[in-house]
Amino acid sequence: MPTFASFDGLRLNYTVWEGDAAHHPVLLQHGFAADTNANWISTGVVAALRKAGLTVIALDARGHGRSEKPHDERRYTGDSMARDISALLDELGLDEVSLVGYSMGAIIALAATAADKRIRCLATGGVGSGIVDFGGVDLRVVKPAEIASALLAEDPSTVPPSGVPFRLLADAVGGDRQALAAVALASQEGHLDLSSIGVPTLVLAGDQDVLAAEPERLAAAIAGARLVRIPGDHMTAVTSPAFSEALVAFLTAPR
């Protein structure tokens, strides 16, 4: 798997599946504690995009997958993960891409799209009004400190209920829990300038996903964005064939 040095020297892993040149390459950014395999390959998303002839690129975020995993919280602060997206576009010499992000990856994708004009098309999944109200994870559902506590707990029985899914996912994919705790603690309530996003945008949200509550508010905050509801909760919506079908239709639509 190829790696590259991002803006601060951290080495990140990415994967490329070549397709035809009929559409922009599609860059995928996975969610928190997941990786390229868990979020995109095992769910069938990569297969669906490749079947449509699209070139697909997937990035393992810093602290995740096969990318480097520093335990220093400072390596994850600010817009570092959005800057990683731009650094990968530099590395690959790409002038135009479509960007797809899920959960944490959606937050990264929104920030990257607002900052980088090479992103010509955007799709988000697994987020909703938390973006509008808190600039990131929906703090009404779970707080970063609770996620970090769940990841660092020596006794799994002491994990706060809101943090259990993150602990289970991290362990299932063999994640570095100390690095992931640093990622969680570095995420602060902030502000995303959604009004600066002017590219075609698709908002995908599971109809039982508490972390993507009120997705219509997110869609309304982005000019021209379209909302598609998918059956499932935060973990299962991305596995639904409806998710991949809506994504392929959006990414291959004439513009």
Side-chain angles (χ1 to χ4, degrees):
M1 300 292 182
T3 65
F4 75 103
S6 193
F7 68 94
D8 60 353
L10 204 68
R11 296 209 68 84
L12 306 180
N13 181 86
Y14 66 95
T15 308
V16 179
W17 295 269
E18 294 290 349
D20 59 42
H23 302 283
H24 296 152
V26 179
L27 175 55
L28 305 176
Q29 182 63 79
H30 62 76
F32 178 77
D35 55 20
T36 292
N37 181 66
N39 208 143
W40 304 121
I41 298 176
S42 67
T43 58
V45 173
V46 168
L49 296 176
R50 294 188 69 197
K51 185 177 180 180
L54 293 160
T55 292
V56 181
I57 307 159
L59 174 64
D60 278 345
R62 56 179 60 208
H64 296 72
R66 292 186 173 92
S67 292
E68 284 194 77
K69 305 173 183 66
H71 293 174
D72 184 350
E73 185 181 327
R74 292 171 295 182
R75 301 302 294 275
Y76 304 101
T77 55
D79 60 352
S80 58
M81 290 186 174
R83 292 178 68 186
D84 290 337
I85 296 285
S86 294
L88 179 56
L89 299 185
D90 292 341
E91 172 72 15
L92 298 177
L94 294 173
D95 295 324
E96 297 181 321
V97 297
S98 299
L99 181 57
V100 180
Y102 195 82
S103 192
M104 176 192 76
I107 300 169
I108 297 168
L110 287 160
T113 303
D116 196 319
K117 299 305 181 186
R118 292 173 293 182
I119 299 165
R120 302 300 179 86
C121 184
L122 170 67
T124 68
V127 291
S129 62
I131 298 291
V132 178
D133 295 336
F134 305 107
V137 66
D138 195 328
L139 300 178
R140 293 162 297 209
V141 179
V142 64
K143 295 177 173 55
E146 295 170 345
I147 297 174
S149 175
L151 291 165
L152 297 175
E154 293 187 14
D155 181 356
S157 68
T158 65
V159 170
S162 60
V164 168
F166 302 97
R167 172 70 175 245
L168 291 175
L169 178 58
D171 289 345
V173 302
D176 183 325
R177 288 193 279 112
Q178 280 188 278
L180 293 172
V183 174
L185 291 172
S187 63
Q188 302 291 332
E189 182 177 354
H191 173 71
L192 281 171
D193 184 10
L194 300 177
S195 67
S196 67
I197 297 175
V199 301
T201 300
L202 175 67
V203 175
L204 295 164
D207 58 8
Q208 301 297 316
D209 186 353
V210 296
L211 284 169
E214 301 178 303
E216 65 278 3
R217 291 182 56 209
L218 173 59
I222 301 172
R226 184 164 64 90
L227 168 64
V228 175
R229 295 181 185 272
I230 305 296
D233 59 22
H234 197 68
M235 297 298 180
T236 62
V238 70
T239 70
S240 169
F243 185 97
S244 293
E245 290 166 7
L247 192 56
V248 167
F250 174 69
L251 294 172
T252 58
R255 293 189 173 88

